[in-house]
Amino acid sequence: MEVAVLDINGKETGRKANLSDAVFAIEPNDHAVYLDVKQYLANQRQGTHKAKERAEIAGSTRKIKKQKGTGTARAGSIKNPLFKGGGRVFGPRPRSYSQKLNKNVKRLARKSALTLKAKSESIIVVEDFNFDAPKTKNFINVLKALGLDSKKSLFVLGDSNNNVYLSSRNLKTSEVVTSSELSTYKIVNANSVVIFEGSLEGIESNLSK
């Protein structure tokens, strides 16, 4: 599959980038995408929730009223979950929500996500660029030139570029990652994926193993 390479102003450079069929034109596996996105979101959870149960509540252990003759239900502890201020029954405890997924499934999921983006013509290839200094305004101008100023976008760099990364960090709808940081969730979450020309080789080598 060939895609026109654009410059920083959104104009065609006259060059074509060849997208490997082994990465951008496979038979998409929706279930692999689902599993990888589910794992990514589960791993974002801190799992630090905690509620005190009756053994952990600070309070007296004295029997609060006599067993019989009051006309109401028997009660032994003020920390009973039935009372206001008592412990919680089977409350949440700190735990890990992390899930394991095989490398081959994760690789298949990323290729499937990229294929779906390619089919919907949501992949843009731009020539490598850099800014003289981190400046959000410069990055916004690039988004406008590419017609992405009102869409969610994911920029994939070949190597880490601090000026480009810092210029995008203040924008909620744009994210900049390197080819080694590419994940299925980030691909699916973006309306358009902007790939630097120099990152294509890294993406294809990482996903063709």
Side-chain angles (χ1 to χ4, degrees):
M1 180 189 300
E2 289 191 341
V3 179
V5 179
L6 307 182
D7 61 15
I8 195 172
N9 298 313
K11 305 285 179 62
E12 290 191 14
T13 60
R15 299 195 308 277
K16 297 278 188 180
N18 187 31
L19 303 183
S20 170
D21 289 347
V23 175
F24 295 92
I26 68 166
E27 182 65 34
N29 189 314
D30 293 341
H31 190 61
V33 173
Y34 159 74
L35 290 175
D36 201 9
V37 170
K38 180 183 175 187
Q39 187 213 29
Y40 178 89
L41 293 175
N43 291 350
Q44 301 305 301
R45 299 186 66 175
Q46 291 186 343
T48 53
H49 40 45
K50 179 70 175 76
K52 290 185 178 181
E53 300 185 1
R54 66 183 294 166
E56 300 165 316
I57 294 289
S60 172
T61 57
R62 178 182 67 89
K63 185 170 174 64
I64 57 178
K65 61 182 180 180
K66 64 181 183 177
Q67 178 80 347
K68 303 174 75 64
T70 61
T72 59
R74 57 193 175 186
S77 172
I78 196 68
K79 297 184 283 186
N80 189 321
L82 298 177
F83 297 150
K84 179 182 177 182
R88 182 170 171 185
V89 181
F90 303 126
R93 296 180 177 182
R95 54 164 288 199
S96 170
Y97 284 92
S98 62
Q99 299 178 5
K100 181 184 179 299
L101 202 60
N102 293 335
K103 287 182 180 179
N104 288 339
V105 176
K106 291 176 71 69
R107 196 175 294 123
L108 175 61
R110 274 175 285 172
K111 289 193 286 188
S112 297
L114 288 171
T115 297
L116 292 171
K117 289 296 179 188
K119 281 185 176 180
S120 62
E121 297 182 351
S122 300
I123 289 182
I124 301 171
V125 179
V126 298
E127 63 181 2
D128 296 2
F129 64 83
N130 193 6
F131 299 135
D132 295 331
K135 202 170 182 68
T136 305
K137 187 176 182 180
N138 291 341
F139 198 86
I140 291 175
N141 290 337
V142 173
L143 291 176
K144 287 181 178 177
L146 298 174
L148 302 175
D149 48 322
S150 60
K151 298 178 180 178
K152 282 185 178 181
S153 56
L154 176 67
F155 282 70
V156 186
L157 313 182
D159 298 310
S160 59
N161 186 322
N162 213 36
N163 286 348
V164 174
Y165 168 71
L166 292 175
S167 298
S168 70
R169 195 168 58 170
N170 204 31
L171 300 173
K172 290 183 178 179
T173 57
S174 292
E175 187 172 3
V176 173
V177 297
T178 62
S179 57
S180 60
E181 297 168 338
L182 197 59
S183 72
T184 304
Y185 175 79
K186 291 178 180 178
I187 297 170
V188 172
N189 190 45
N191 296 121
S192 294
V193 179
V194 181
I195 301 176
F196 275 36
E197 193 177 7
S199 70
L200 279 172
E201 186 179 347
I203 294 172
E204 291 171 2
S205 66
N206 287 342
L207 298 181
S208 298
K209 294 175 182 176

CSV table of all heavy atoms in Angstrom, one decimal, residues 133-165:
chain,number,residue,atom,x,y,z
A,133,ALA,N,12.3,25.2,19.3
A,133,ALA,CA,12.1,25.2,20.7
A,133,ALA,C,10.7,24.7,21.0
A,133,ALA,O,9.8,24.7,20.1
A,133,ALA,CB,12.2,26.6,21.3
A,134,PRO,N,10.4,24.2,22.2
A,134,PRO,CA,9.1,23.7,22.5
A,134,PRO,C,8.1,24.8,22.4
A,134,PRO,O,8.2,25.8,23.2
A,134,PRO,CB,9.2,23.1,23.9
A,134,PRO,CG,10.7,22.9,24.1
A,134,PRO,CD,11.4,23.9,23.3
A,135,LYS,N,7.1,24.7,21.6
A,135,LYS,CA,6.1,25.8,21.5
A,135,LYS,C,4.8,25.2,21.0
A,135,LYS,O,4.7,24.7,19.9
A,135,LYS,CB,6.6,26.9,20.5
A,135,LYS,CG,5.9,28.2,20.7
A,135,LYS,CD,6.6,29.3,19.8
A,135,LYS,CE,6.0,30.7,20.0
A,135,LYS,NZ,6.3,31.2,21.4
A,136,THR,N,3.7,25.3,21.8
A,136,THR,CA,2.4,24.7,21.5
A,136,THR,C,1.8,25.3,20.2
A,136,THR,O,1.2,24.6,19.5
A,136,THR,CB,1.5,24.9,22.7
A,136,THR,OG1,2.0,24.4,23.9
A,136,THR,CG2,0.2,24.2,22.5
A,137,LYS,N,2.1,26.6,20.0
A,137,LYS,CA,1.5,27.2,18.8
A,137,LYS,C,2.0,26.6,17.6
A,137,LYS,O,1.3,26.4,16.6
A,137,LYS,CB,1.9,28.7,18.9
A,137,LYS,CG,1.2,29.5,17.8
A,137,LYS,CD,1.5,31.0,17.9
A,137,LYS,CE,0.9,31.8,16.9
A,137,LYS,NZ,1.2,33.3,17.0
A,138,ASN,N,3.3,26.2,17.5
A,138,ASN,CA,3.9,25.5,16.3
A,138,ASN,C,3.2,24.2,16.1
A,138,ASN,O,2.9,23.9,14.9
A,138,ASN,CB,5.4,25.3,16.5
A,138,ASN,CG,6.1,26.6,16.5
A,138,ASN,OD1,5.7,27.6,16.1
A,138,ASN,ND2,7.4,26.5,17.1
A,139,PHE,N,2.9,23.5,17.1
A,139,PHE,CA,2.2,22.2,17.0
A,139,PHE,C,0.8,22.3,16.5
A,139,PHE,O,0.3,21.6,15.7
A,139,PHE,CB,2.3,21.4,18.3
A,139,PHE,CG,2.0,19.9,18.1
A,139,PHE,CD1,3.0,19.0,17.8
A,139,PHE,CD2,0.7,19.4,18.2
A,139,PHE,CE1,2.8,17.7,17.6
A,139,PHE,CE2,0.5,18.0,18.1
A,139,PHE,CZ,1.5,17.2,17.8
A,140,ILE,N,0.1,23.4,17.0
A,140,ILE,CA,-1.3,23.6,16.6
A,140,ILE,C,-1.3,24.0,15.1
A,140,ILE,O,-2.2,23.6,14.4
A,140,ILE,CB,-1.9,24.8,17.4
A,140,ILE,CG1,-2.1,24.3,18.9
A,140,ILE,CG2,-3.2,25.3,16.8
A,140,ILE,CD1,-2.6,25.4,19.8
A,141,ASN,N,-0.3,24.7,14.6
A,141,ASN,CA,-0.2,25.1,13.2
A,141,ASN,C,-0.1,23.8,12.3
A,141,ASN,O,-0.6,23.7,11.3
A,141,ASN,CB,1.0,26.0,12.9
A,141,ASN,CG,0.7,27.4,13.5
A,141,ASN,OD1,-0.4,27.8,13.7
A,141,ASN,ND2,1.8,28.1,13.8
A,142,VAL,N,0.7,22.8,12.8
A,142,VAL,CA,0.8,21.6,12.1
A,142,VAL,C,-0.5,20.8,12.1
A,142,VAL,O,-0.9,20.3,11.0
A,142,VAL,CB,1.9,20.7,12.8
A,142,VAL,CG1,1.9,19.3,12.1
A,142,VAL,CG2,3.3,21.3,12.7
A,143,LEU,N,-1.2,20.8,13.2
A,143,LEU,CA,-2.5,20.2,13.2
A,143,LEU,C,-3.5,20.8,12.3
A,143,LEU,O,-4.2,20.1,11.5
A,143,LEU,CB,-3.1,20.2,14.7
A,143,LEU,CG,-2.4,19.4,15.7
A,143,LEU,CD1,-3.0,19.7,17.1
A,143,LEU,CD2,-2.5,17.9,15.4
A,144,LYS,N,-3.5,22.1,12.2
A,144,LYS,CA,-4.4,22.8,11.3
A,144,LYS,C,-4.0,22.5,9.8
A,144,LYS,O,-4.9,22.3,9.0
A,144,LYS,CB,-4.3,24.3,11.5
A,144,LYS,CG,-5.0,24.8,12.8
A,144,LYS,CD,-4.9,26.3,13.0
A,144,LYS,CE,-5.6,26.7,14.3
A,144,LYS,NZ,-5.5,28.2,14.5
A,145,ALA,N,-2.7,22.5,9.5
A,145,ALA,CA,-2.3,22.2,8.2
A,145,ALA,C,-2.7,20.8,7.7
A,145,ALA,O,-3.0,20.5,6.6
A,145,ALA,CB,-0.8,22.3,8.1
A,146,LEU,N,-2.8,19.9,8.7
A,146,LEU,CA,-3.1,18.5,8.4
A,146,LEU,C,-4.7,18.2,8.5
A,146,LEU,O,-5.1,17.1,8.3
A,146,LEU,CB,-2.4,17.5,9.3
A,146,LEU,CG,-0.8,17.5,9.1
A,146,LEU,CD1,-0.2,16.6,10.2
A,146,LEU,CD2,-0.4,17.0,7.7
A,147,GLY,N,-5.4,19.3,9.0
A,147,GLY,CA,-6.8,19.2,9.1
A,147,GLY,C,-7.2,18.4,10.4
A,147,GLY,O,-8.3,17.7,10.4
A,148,LEU,N,-6.4,18.4,11.4
A,148,LEU,CA,-6.6,17.6,12.6
A,148,LEU,C,-6.8,18.4,13.8
A,148,LEU,O,-6.8,17.9,14.9
A,148,LEU,CB,-5.4,16.7,12.8
A,148,LEU,CG,-5.0,15.7,11.7
A,148,LEU,CD1,-3.8,14.9,12.1
A,148,LEU,CD2,-6.2,14.7,11.4
A,149,ASP,N,-7.1,19.7,13.7
A,149,ASP,CA,-7.2,20.6,14.8
A,149,ASP,C,-8.4,20.3,15.7
A,149,ASP,O,-8.5,20.6,16.9
A,149,ASP,CB,-7.2,22.1,14.4
A,149,ASP,CG,-8.1,22.4,13.3
A,149,ASP,OD1,-8.2,21.5,12.4
A,149,ASP,OD2,-8.7,23.4,13.3
A,150,SER,N,-9.4,19.6,15.1
A,150,SER,CA,-10.7,19.3,15.8
A,150,SER,C,-10.8,17.8,16.0
A,150,SER,O,-11.9,17.4,16.4
A,150,SER,CB,-11.9,19.9,15.1
A,150,SER,OG,-12.0,19.4,13.8
A,151,LYS,N,-9.8,17.1,15.8
A,151,LYS,CA,-9.9,15.6,15.9
A,151,LYS,C,-8.8,15.1,16.9
A,151,LYS,O,-7.8,15.7,17.1
A,151,LYS,CB,-9.7,14.9,14.6
A,151,LYS,CG,-10.7,15.3,13.5
A,151,LYS,CD,-10.4,14.6,12.2
A,151,LYS,CE,-11.4,14.9,11.1
A,151,LYS,NZ,-11.1,14.3,9.8
A,152,LYS,N,-9.0,13.9,17.4
A,152,LYS,CA,-8.0,13.2,18.2
A,152,LYS,C,-6.9,12.7,17.3
A,152,LYS,O,-7.2,12.0,16.3
A,152,LYS,CB,-8.6,12.0,19.0
A,152,LYS,CG,-9.4,12.4,20.2
A,152,LYS,CD,-9.8,11.2,20.9
A,152,LYS,CE,-10.6,11.5,22.2
A,152,LYS,NZ,-11.0,10.3,22.9
A,153,SER,N,-5.7,13.0,17.6
A,153,SER,CA,-4.6,12.5,16.7
A,153,SER,C,-3.5,11.9,17.5
A,153,SER,O,-3.2,12.2,18.7
A,153,SER,CB,-4.0,13.7,15.9
A,153,SER,OG,-3.6,14.7,16.8
A,154,LEU,N,-2.8,10.9,16.9
A,154,LEU,CA,-1.7,10.2,17.5
A,154,LEU,C,-0.5,10.4,16.6
A,154,LEU,O,-0.6,10.0,15.4
A,154,LEU,CB,-2.0,8.8,17.7
A,154,LEU,CG,-0.8,7.9,18.3
A,154,LEU,CD1,-0.5,8.3,19.7
A,154,LEU,CD2,-1.2,6.4,18.2
A,155,PHE,N,0.6,11.0,17.1
A,155,PHE,CA,1.8,11.2,16.3
A,155,PHE,C,2.8,10.1,16.7
A,155,PHE,O,3.1,10.0,17.9
A,155,PHE,CB,2.4,12.6,16.5
A,155,PHE,CG,1.7,13.7,15.7
A,155,PHE,CD1,0.4,14.1,16.1
A,155,PHE,CD2,2.3,14.3,14.6
A,155,PHE,CE1,-0.3,15.1,15.4
A,155,PHE,CE2,1.6,15.3,13.9
A,155,PHE,CZ,0.3,15.7,14.3
A,156,VAL,N,3.3,9.4,15.7
A,156,VAL,CA,4.3,8.4,16.0
A,156,VAL,C,5.7,8.8,15.4
A,156,VAL,O,5.8,9.0,14.2
A,156,VAL,CB,3.9,7.0,15.3
A,156,VAL,CG1,4.8,5.9,15.7
A,156,VAL,CG2,2.4,6.7,15.7
A,157,LEU,N,6.6,9.0,16.3
A,157,LEU,CA,8.0,9.4,16.0
A,157,LEU,C,8.9,8.2,15.9
A,157,LEU,O,8.7,7.1,16.5
A,157,LEU,CB,8.5,10.3,17.0
A,157,LEU,CG,7.7,11.5,17.5
A,157,LEU,CD1,8.4,12.4,18.5
A,157,LEU,CD2,7.2,12.3,16.3
A,158,GLY,N,10.0,8.3,15.1
A,158,GLY,CA,11.0,7.3,15.0
A,158,GLY,C,11.8,7.2,16.3
A,158,GLY,O,12.0,6.2,16.9
A,159,ASP,N,12.3,8.3,16.7
A,159,ASP,CA,13.1,8.5,17.9
A,159,ASP,C,12.5,9.6,18.8
A,159,ASP,O,11.7,10.4,18.3
A,159,ASP,CB,14.6,8.8,17.6
A,159,ASP,CG,15.2,7.7,16.8
A,159,ASP,OD1,15.1,6.5,17.2
A,159,ASP,OD2,15.9,8.0,15.8
A,160,SER,N,12.8,9.6,20.0
A,160,SER,CA,12.3,10.6,20.9
A,160,SER,C,12.7,12.0,20.5
A,160,SER,O,13.9,12.2,20.1
A,160,SER,CB,12.7,10.4,22.4
A,160,SER,OG,14.1,10.4,22.5
A,161,ASN,N,11.8,12.9,20.4
A,161,ASN,CA,12.0,14.3,20.0
A,161,ASN,C,11.4,15.2,21.0
A,161,ASN,O,10.2,15.4,21.1
A,161,ASN,CB,11.4,14.5,18.6
A,161,ASN,CG,11.7,15.9,18.0
A,161,ASN,OD1,11.8,16.9,18.8
A,161,ASN,ND2,12.0,15.9,16.7
A,162,ASN,N,12.2,15.7,21.9
A,162,ASN,CA,11.8,16.5,23.0
A,162,ASN,C,11.0,17.7,22.7
A,162,ASN,O,10.0,18.0,23.3
A,162,ASN,CB,12.9,16.8,23.9
A,162,ASN,CG,12.5,16.9,25.4
A,162,ASN,OD1,11.7,16.0,25.8
A,162,ASN,ND2,13.1,17.8,26.2
A,163,ASN,N,11.4,18.4,21.6
A,163,ASN,CA,10.7,19.7,21.3
A,163,ASN,C,9.3,19.4,20.7
A,163,ASN,O,8.4,20.1,21.1
A,163,ASN,CB,11.5,20.4,20.2
A,163,ASN,CG,12.8,21.1,20.8
A,163,ASN,OD1,12.9,21.2,22.0
A,163,ASN,ND2,13.7,21.5,19.9
A,164,VAL,N,9.2,18.3,19.9
A,164,VAL,CA,7.8,18.0,19.4
A,164,VAL,C,7.0,17.5,20.5
A,164,VAL,O,5.8,17.8,20.6
A,164,VAL,CB,8.0,16.9,18.3
A,164,VAL,CG1,6.6,16.5,17.8
A,164,VAL,CG2,8.7,17.5,17.1
A,165,TYR,N,7.5,16.6,21.4
A,165,TYR,CA,6.7,16.1,22.5
A,165,TYR,C,6.2,17.2,23.4
A,165,TYR,O,5.1,17.2,23.8
A,165,TYR,CB,7.6,15.1,23.3
A,165,TYR,CG,7.0,14.6,24.6
A,165,TYR,CD1,5.9,13.8,24.6
A,165,TYR,CD2,7.5,15.1,25.8
A,165,TYR,CE1,5.3,13.5,25.8
A,165,TYR,CE2,7.0,14.7,27.0
A,165,TYR,CZ,5.8,13.9,27.0
A,165,TYR,OH,5.2,13.6,28.2
